[in-house]
Amino acid sequence: MASHQNPFHIAQQQFDTAAELLGLHDSVRAILRVPQRELTVNFPVKLDDGSTKVYTGYRVQHNLSRGPVKGGIRYHPHMDLDEVRALAMWMTWKCALVSIPFGGAKGGVVVEPQELSLGELERLTRRFATEISILLGPDKDIPAPDMNTNAQIMAWIMDTISMHRGYTVPAVITGKPIEIGGSLGRLEATGRGVSLMVRETAHQLMRSLEGLRVVIQGFGNVGSVAAQLLHEQGCRVVGIADASGAFYCGSGLDIPAMRAYSVNQSHRQLTGYHAPGVEQLSGTELLELDCDVLIPAAVKNQIHEKNAVRIQAQVIVEGANGPTTPGADAILSDRGIIVVPDILANAGGVIVSYFEWVQGLQAFFWDEHDVNSRLEHILVRAFNQVWALAKARRLPLRTAAYLLAVQHVAEANMIRGLYP
Ligand code: NAD
């Protein structure tokens, strides 16, 4: 069971810890503690049966001091403004930590997309894009995919904004299909980044990837790509869960077979997956499996004060945003469990989104090897900075990452000064 702690309060608490350690001035603290802009929209969509339904959506821009804002669009039935605020704030720190010239934003619609037909999904997306279009633009706010959104949805958003402007605006969104200006490597970027963070942490702990026992919660874009890449590098992925169930095999799950299976299922889930030697577990049991690395790559608040004492992994690499509550962080730190925080571990997606934006603006496209090697360079550099600071000051990796990120954003704010 997930914890029900308010994610925005968690994000503010994490920021407060960093602000205190950095000795940030009260006025800068007050500015960075809250989002700069918040837009809530209620908009009608015509359904296939002829009726009309009003949906609620959000776009929150946390901080614009380091450049245009960047962050995903999520479709989820249990989303609210506070969750979007938290996600936007985490994007600010993530972009600053990996030194890409963006502030943070996030958005989404309160909807269960699996209940919509393709036509309804397209109409909902185009109307939502129109409602938030006053905020969007290549030099203002550039959305990307997140939970339950994908390249097709990004294409509809790009097309909608382009129709309004009267010309094609590829750089208004990232995570687009390659045919209309997407970047090679973007689809896999977040999962690739997660796998790099597992590799770098194992390296620091002088462990080989060969035979490393990995458990992954979430088998969507992030979880399934991380599983595949770690499997290819010799890790033993012993546990996988998605929203439909959890699966365990001590000798290692057949990840390519599970990916092929989920792609062929409706909603890309693992429901009904069977293979010799594979046991079914509950989602709760999966998180508490004996393993070397646990990768939460699904939803927020999965590791909390109640289950943190039972986590057996030596390392947690946060593919998801906000999977660990501050209470759990303290317990994990006391128990010597290393947590590679979300703002570092899942930054691969926004790094390659940055590359896609750069390529779109220049109309000059790179090959996949260039994309992946530049991604690795940026992410490993950030990892080394965080690891070195954590070691030097005996801090958890999350605190070290926050110190670096918040410092960059605070400096940008102070250098620019207060207008007017
Ligand atoms: P997705 O929609 O592609 O996949 C989500 C997966 O989580 C699915 O397999 C779903 O079945 C599973 N899931 C949902 N609820 C679950 C539960 N309670 N228990 C177990 N599994 C559950 O989404 P995604 O793009 O892979 O994103 C996953 C997480 O990673 C989110 O927190 C997202 O914010 C974060 N993230 C995504 C990206 C990206 O580029 N896609 C970048 C950074 C962070």
Side-chain angles (χ1 to χ4, degrees), residues 74 87 94 106 145-148 186 190 217-223 241-244 269 297-299 302 319-321 346 349:
R74 172 180 287 203
L87 290 161
K94 198 180 295 182
K106 206 79 179 193
D146 195 73
M147 282 189 76
N148 296 323
R186 172 61 186 92
T190 309
Q217 183 200 42
F219 203 56
N221 177 274
V222 181
D242 73 3
S244 71
Q269 292 205 335
V299 285
Q302 295 299 296
N321 285 307
N346 69 35

Side-chain angles (χ1 to χ4, degrees), residues 32-328:
L32 297 182
R33 229 176 159 266
V34 288
Q36 202 165 330
R37 294 178 184 151
E38 303 181 346
L39 178 63
T40 299
V41 294
N42 298 303
F43 59 95
V45 177
K46 185 149 282 167
L47 302 181
D48 291 347
D49 65 4
S51 65
T52 298
K53 187 165 175 188
V54 173
Y55 290 91
T56 299
Y58 308 102
R59 186 71 184 167
V60 173
Q61 302 182 335
H62 173 253
N63 187 275
L64 294 97
S65 59
R66 297 183 62 256
V69 285
K70 188 98 195 67
I73 287 183
R74 172 180 287 203
Y75 289 172
H76 201 273
H78 307 297
M79 196 178 50
D80 59 28
L81 186 53
D82 271 347
E83 181 172 16
V84 184
R85 287 171 169 149
L87 290 161
M89 189 190 267
W90 288 328
M91 284 306 296
T92 300
W93 312 140
K94 198 180 295 182
C95 294
L97 181 65
V98 296
S99 297
I100 57 175
F102 293 131
K106 206 79 179 193
V109 180
V110 186
V111 59
E112 175 51 87
Q114 291 171 8
E115 289 170 1
L116 300 184
S117 70
L118 197 63
E120 290 169 336
L121 191 64
E122 178 173 354
R123 290 195 291 281
L124 174 126
T125 299
R126 288 185 181 277
R127 179 64 190 247
F128 175 59
T130 302
E131 295 287 343
I132 64 167
S133 63
I134 47 171
L135 292 176
L136 305 187
D139 49 3
K140 291 160 71 182
D141 183 340
I142 309 120
D146 195 73
M147 282 189 76
N148 296 323
T149 59
N150 56 25
Q152 176 60 72
I153 291 173
M154 299 305 111
W156 289 328
I157 296 177
M158 185 199 105
D159 185 68
T160 301
I161 302 298
S162 299
M163 288 299 121
H164 295 172
R165 305 276 210 280
Y167 54 91
T168 300
V169 194
V172 70
I173 202 145
T174 61
K176 301 179 288 295
I178 304 294
E179 293 75 8
I180 54 168
S183 176
L184 294 167
R186 172 61 186 92
L187 191 63
E188 300 83 11
T190 309
R192 182 176 295 280
V194 168
S195 75
L196 287 168
M197 295 297 91
V198 173
R199 185 192 78 187
E200 291 304 302
T201 312
H203 177 71
Q204 290 291 347
L205 299 177
M206 292 187 224
R207 296 280 309 266
S208 154
L209 286 186
E210 197 60 46
L212 205 72
R213 291 165 311 150
V214 178
V215 168
I216 304 180
Q217 183 200 42
F219 203 56
N221 177 274
V222 181
S224 72
V225 172
Q228 178 71 33
L229 294 172
L230 290 168
H231 171 80
E232 285 169 10
Q233 291 172 85
C235 293
R236 209 165 5 123
V237 182
V238 295
I240 292 279
D242 73 3
S244 71
F247 305 85
Y248 172 77
C249 179
S251 58
L253 292 158
D254 184 346
I255 299 301
M258 291 178 90
R259 289 188 88 199
Y261 181 88
S262 76
V263 166
N264 289 325
Q265 294 302 102
S266 64
H267 314 313
R268 298 185 159 246
Q269 292 205 335
L270 289 165
T271 327
Y273 177 77
H274 287 292
V278 175
E279 288 169 45
Q280 291 231 24
L281 311 170
S282 71
T284 313
E285 288 169 323
L286 178 111
L287 292 173
E288 299 167 13
L289 280 173
D290 184 14
C291 62
D292 300 304
V293 180
L294 172 62
I295 303 177
V299 285
K300 66 180 187 297
N301 292 357
Q302 295 299 296
I303 304 169
H304 42 77
E305 273 147 282
K306 293 213 174 89
N307 65 3
V309 284
R310 294 193 296 274
I311 300 289
Q312 298 191 60
Q314 188 189 0
V315 175
I316 296 174
V317 178
E318 295 184 332
N321 285 307
T324 312
T325 66

